[in-house]
Amino acid sequence: QVQLVESGGGLVRPGRSLRLSCATSGLSLSLRSIGWFRQAPGKEREGVSYITGGGTTNYAESVKGRFTVSMDKANNTVYLQLTSLKPEDTAVYYCATKWGDGTLTASDYRYWGQGTQVTVSS
């Protein structure tokens, strides 16, 4: 049974950092991609980043240079480091998984975590 559990969200001031975790079970990270998505109130879910089983990464233009995705296969966990946070980064952040290559399209992903709230405010 594939499961993903996000953690690490919280309330931070603009310019600060957070590290989100996506703990996985029931899957092989070597064969799948893990995507990070976010959804703000009243907005559609948008792709933020992904990492493939081979370590290839990609980022949305809005977070490029500020967010970094990484993978710890030994602990079946994927991380999303958020730096230089802005109020517009406020959203519920989700991780999700799909077979093969990654994309930033939510409908390509089958299994999802429950989300973790990130709020950036002074």
Side-chain angles (χ1 to χ4, degrees), residues 37-94:
F37 297 81
R38 66 186 182 186
Q39 188 166 19
K43 294 188 177 181
E44 292 190 357
R45 192 167 297 189
E46 66 168 335
V48 173
S49 178
Y50 68 75
I51 185 166
T52 70
T56 299
T57 60
N58 195 22
Y59 300 90
E61 285 298 322
S62 59
V63 306
K64 200 169 289 185
R66 300 190 298 121
F67 292 7
T68 303
V69 62
S70 61
M71 181 190 308
D72 180 351
K73 289 184 179 179
N75 289 304
N76 296 313
T77 301
V78 174
Y79 301 99
L80 185 66
Q81 181 73 41
L82 290 62
T83 64
S84 301
L85 281 162
K86 306 175 181 180
E88 51 264 43
D89 294 319
T90 296
V92 177
Y93 284 71
Y94 301 89

Side-chain angles (χ1 to χ4, degrees), residues 97-121:
T97 187
K98 65 181 296 292
W99 287 105
D101 292 339
T103 72
L104 293 177
T105 303
S107 60
D108 290 340
Y109 290 75
R110 180 176 181 184
Y111 296 101
W112 291 79
Q114 82 290 349
T116 186
Q117 176 71 47
V118 172
T119 303
V120 185
S121 175

